[in-house]
Amino acid sequence: MVLLRFAPSPTGPLHLGGLRMALYNYLYARKLGGKWILRVEDTDTTRSVPGSVEGIQKALSWAGLDYDFGPARDGPHGPYFQSERRDLYRSYANKLVDNGQAYRCFCSADELADVKARLARSGSNNTYDKKCLHLSDEEVARKVKAGEKYVVRINDGIVPTRPPTHDIVYGYVRDAHLSLATDPVLLKSDQFPTYHLASVVDDHEMGITHVLRGEEWLPSLPLHLDLYTHLNLTPPQFAHIPILLNPDKTKMSKRHGDVQVVDYMRRGWEPHAILNWLALAGWGAKHEPEQPAPSETSSSSSRSPSPHRLEDAPDSTHLMTLSEMISDFDLPALTHRSSILDVTKLEYINKHHLMRTWSNPEGLDELAKRVHGLVKDVFKASPYTTVDNIKNAITLLEGRLTNIHDIPIHAPYLFVEPDWTSVEAQSMIRDISVEKRMDIIDAFITVIQANGWLTFEAASHESIMGTLHQEREKLGVQLKVFMRVLRHALTGMKDGPAIIDIVRALGHERTITRLQAVRDVKDVNDVDVDAESKK
């Protein structure tokens, strides 16, 4: 069975890069008809943050990425916390030691620092002098019996014979052992494993067939493949994913920038829009299958030439459902470069996902109920914060709505009376006399009540605008002045949907009441708009 794993560390909230990695695991598993695991890599106890696992689970659930096995979803691959698998790592480390492929190192931190500095001064690229490799069995046994702390190191001088190093994304890569530390540590002095050992052991024991992880681990791939060979294990297929960058091109991390998934959850972004945005970040063109590199003898990291392109990359704002992502996703199509997340693209994608959702009654109802609590909190004393009125707001705003949480910003007038004395409202009518404004409002009331509300509501937009033009001509005012007075009276805001649509959203009683109430607003000449703007 095809089996993938998403293996975050519980060091804080899930960030966007982690969510994209989970998404890619989900997409590839589903595309191949397989399953995926949530595995918690909690071997670094000094960095673990309480509540992180629950936060990761909540973020995945919000995004609709339901893992098949993991914490709270037991399966045949557990336990799913690495801290509960320590005996397993020790047994594999001991096997490597017994086979002479690894050894115990008793050097202290100070000794190691001195050795590293000495080697650097001598011009050596090595980071350790392999001192403990040459200890006799008797010396090792005596030190262990005496309780001396030790780590287990792999002997990188033993290079096994194995197939060329291949990555699904980057293709065939030449081994780069020299870029790694000398004799990397597999088991730390606290008997917790390093990532090198733990990932190999767990991926084998759990039956993982495909490993998706960040490109920062690509230089370690030869070491990991060596471990599989030393242990006589069949390795999974590997795909190293280029990282995401902040807009300033710095590496995205939990400690840098506004990248936590929980922030996007709180702000009301659509889960599927977030997934759509992340999926397209780095999604490139499809190519022909790659041929093996001609030589694997170089010690420097090198990648084989890009093969012939078969299909262009999708547009970076291409709208996709989750099922479409599953169908079209292809790991070899990922670009080899890091991707910058552009929030303006998220705004576009989110806006259009919202439009898809509210295009049917069920989706519109779901959106209104989801934002109901927020609207009630913003307009606490309003009797108009009903689900039905929120649905009116969503329908009214249509393409103006980028985020569902923006309803109170774009259409407060549907829930409370406009503030006609605000700087924005007063600036709308600063150059229009009170008499002219009253004439325009009276004319509009006449249009609404002339043939009854039902007739007004049923009339076409063009028909109503034709009638308004007739009234405007009678008054001898410009169209922009006529409409600005009405917009001021109904909303107190310079921008917004069509006046006719606002009236229909407000309803007959609220519209007439508001038009009559605006007569009592303070005269614009009593307010120093310029002085107010400077406050």
Side-chain angles (χ1 to χ4, degrees):
M1 180 182 70
V2 170
L3 187 64
L4 286 83
R5 90 296 195 273
F6 173 54
S9 298
T11 54
L14 186 67
H15 63 85
L16 292 175
L19 183 61
R20 185 179 71 149
M21 190 64 72
L23 170 64
Y24 283 0
N25 274 276
Y26 172 91
L27 295 179
Y28 209 59
R30 296 296 183 257
K31 183 180 183 70
L32 300 180
K35 299 183 182 299
W36 67 296
I37 288 173
L38 173 62
R39 185 174 78 208
V40 181
E41 299 195 340
D42 58 345
T43 55
D44 190 346
T45 55
T46 61
R47 296 178 59 225
S48 293
V49 176
S52 295
V53 175
E54 293 77 10
I56 292 169
Q57 290 174 302
K58 183 177 180 181
L60 294 177
S61 177
W62 169 81
L65 302 180
D66 297 324
Y67 54 88
D68 299 289
F69 307 111
R73 293 186 184 177
D74 291 338
H77 318 284
Y80 297 100
F81 289 84
Q82 287 189 332
S83 58
E84 299 174 9
R85 303 169 67 87
R86 293 170 66 185
D87 290 343
L88 195 59
Y89 308 132
R90 282 196 291 268
S91 69
Y92 274 87
N94 289 336
K95 182 177 180 180
L96 290 167
V97 171
D98 292 342
N99 291 342
Q101 295 147 337
Y103 61 95
R104 294 179 176 87
C105 173
F106 298 89
C107 295
S108 67
D110 289 340
E111 288 178 296
L112 292 172
D114 289 342
V115 169
K116 185 176 181 180
R118 174 170 53 80
L119 290 170
R121 286 194 300 270
S122 69
S124 173
N125 290 325
N126 292 333
T127 57
Y128 179 54
D129 60 5
K130 295 176 177 276
K131 169 186 172 182
C132 291
L133 174 63
H134 307 294
L135 293 175
S136 66
D137 292 344
E138 291 76 15
E139 288 177 298
V140 171
R142 177 170 51 78
K143 287 177 176 289
V144 171
K145 187 175 181 180
E148 290 190 35
K149 288 190 174 182
Y150 63 86
V151 300
V152 174
R153 294 177 178 272
I154 186 172
N155 181 4
D156 63 12
I158 303 175
V159 181
T161 301
R162 57 171 174 78
T165 301
H166 181 265
D167 181 81
I168 298 175
V169 175
Y170 287 96
Y172 286 93
V173 296
R174 291 180 177 144
D175 290 350
H177 286 87
L178 294 180
S179 66
L180 301 175
T182 305
D183 289 359
V185 174
L186 302 179
L187 199 68
K188 296 178 288 187
S189 59
D190 60 4
Q191 298 301 289
F192 274 91
T194 62
Y195 176 82
H196 301 308
L197 179 63
S199 64
V200 168
V201 171
D202 285 341
D203 289 339
H204 168 70
E205 289 286 333
M206 291 181 170
I208 302 300
T209 60
H210 298 75
V211 171
L212 277 57
R213 59 188 184 186
E215 67 172 332
E216 65 269 23
W217 291 110
L218 187 58
S220 299
L221 180 56
L223 169 63
H224 298 169
L225 293 175
D226 288 351
L227 283 171
Y228 279 104
T229 304
H230 284 322
L231 293 167
N232 197 28
L233 307 176
T234 301
Q237 296 184 56
F238 287 89
H240 290 81
I241 312 300
I243 62 173
L244 294 176
L245 299 178
N246 293 304
D248 62 0
K249 297 186 179 180
T250 56
K251 180 181 177 181
M252 184 171 289
S253 71
K254 300 175 185 178
R255 298 177 297 278
H256 186 116
D258 187 14
V259 299
Q260 296 179 1
V261 177
V262 67
D263 291 330
Y264 290 80
M265 294 166 61
R266 290 171 182 156
R267 291 177 190 162
W269 297 102
E270 298 304 298
H272 286 173
I274 292 286
L275 297 183
N276 192 161
W277 180 47
L278 293 175
L280 292 173
W283 190 325
K286 290 186 178 181
H287 298 84
E288 290 178 342
E290 190 179 20
Q291 299 302 314
S295 173
E296 302 297 332
T297 58
S298 173
S299 61
S300 62
S301 179
S302 177
R303 294 156 191 166
S304 47
S306 299
H308 179 68
R309 176 179 296 191
L310 295 177
E311 184 178 315
D312 288 337
D315 185 82
S316 59
T317 55
H318 178 56
L319 298 183
M320 305 181 78
T321 64
L322 200 53
S323 61
E324 288 170 339
M325 292 182 218
I326 293 171
S327 174
D328 295 347
F329 183 70
D330 192 25
L331 283 172
L334 295 181
T335 63
H336 294 183
R337 63 182 183 276
S338 301
S339 300
I340 295 175
L341 279 181
D342 185 349
V343 73
T344 59
K345 293 179 180 179
L346 171 61
E347 291 171 353
Y348 176 90
I349 292 171
N350 200 77
K351 175 179 179 177
H352 286 81
H353 272 278
L354 278 175
M355 293 171 69
R356 282 184 174 183
T357 301
W358 70 56
S359 63
N360 64 79
E362 295 79 12
L364 179 61
D365 192 61
E366 185 271 328
L367 286 174
K369 288 178 179 176
R370 174 143 61 87
V371 79
H372 188 205
L374 171 71
V375 174
K376 288 175 65 176
D377 286 343
V378 174
F379 306 110
K380 291 182 173 62
S382 172
Y384 301 109
T385 56
T386 62
V387 170
D388 283 343
N389 201 36
I390 295 172
K391 288 160 71 172
N392 285 339
I394 295 172
T395 304
L396 173 68
L397 294 171
E398 291 187 324
R400 296 175 178 271
L401 203 56
T402 298
N403 186 307
I404 198 69
H405 281 200
D406 290 343
I407 289 175
I409 298 173
H410 292 306
Y413 48 81
L414 291 185
F415 307 98
V416 293
E417 296 302 303
D419 179 7
W420 292 301
T421 62
S422 70
V423 172
E424 179 180 5
Q426 290 284 5
S427 68
M428 295 172 68
I429 56 172
R430 178 166 41 182
D431 56 349
I432 307 173
S433 68
V434 174
E435 293 76 18
K436 187 174 291 185
R437 286 192 286 118
M438 295 305 104
D439 288 343
I440 293 171
I441 290 170
D442 288 341
F444 192 49
I445 292 175
T446 300
V447 170
I448 294 175
Q449 295 183 327
N451 298 306
W453 174 254
L454 292 179
T455 301
F456 177 88
E457 195 172 34
S460 69
H461 189 278
E462 292 74 15
S463 173
I464 296 173
M465 285 304 297
T467 303
L468 289 179
H469 279 304
Q470 294 174 7
E471 295 297 325
R472 177 188 64 79
E473 290 173 354
K474 291 178 185 178
L475 296 174
V477 298
Q478 294 179 329
L479 177 62
K480 64 179 182 180
V481 172
F482 191 90
M483 301 308 291
R484 197 193 324 154
V485 169
L486 296 181
R487 188 172 296 283
H488 167 268
L490 295 171
T491 72
M493 300 174 69
K494 290 182 179 180
D495 300 312
I499 293 297
I500 307 305
D501 295 333
I502 293 172
V503 170
R504 285 170 171 161
L506 286 170
H508 178 260
E509 182 179 348
R510 292 185 71 195
T511 298
I512 297 300
T513 300
R514 186 166 295 182
L515 291 172
Q516 292 173 341
V518 77
R519 293 170 173 275
D520 299 326
V521 71
K522 183 184 292 186
D523 188 353
V524 67
N525 295 321
D526 293 335
V527 179
D528 185 344
V529 176
D530 293 331
E532 289 291 320
S533 301
K534 297 174 183 177
K535 290 184 178 179

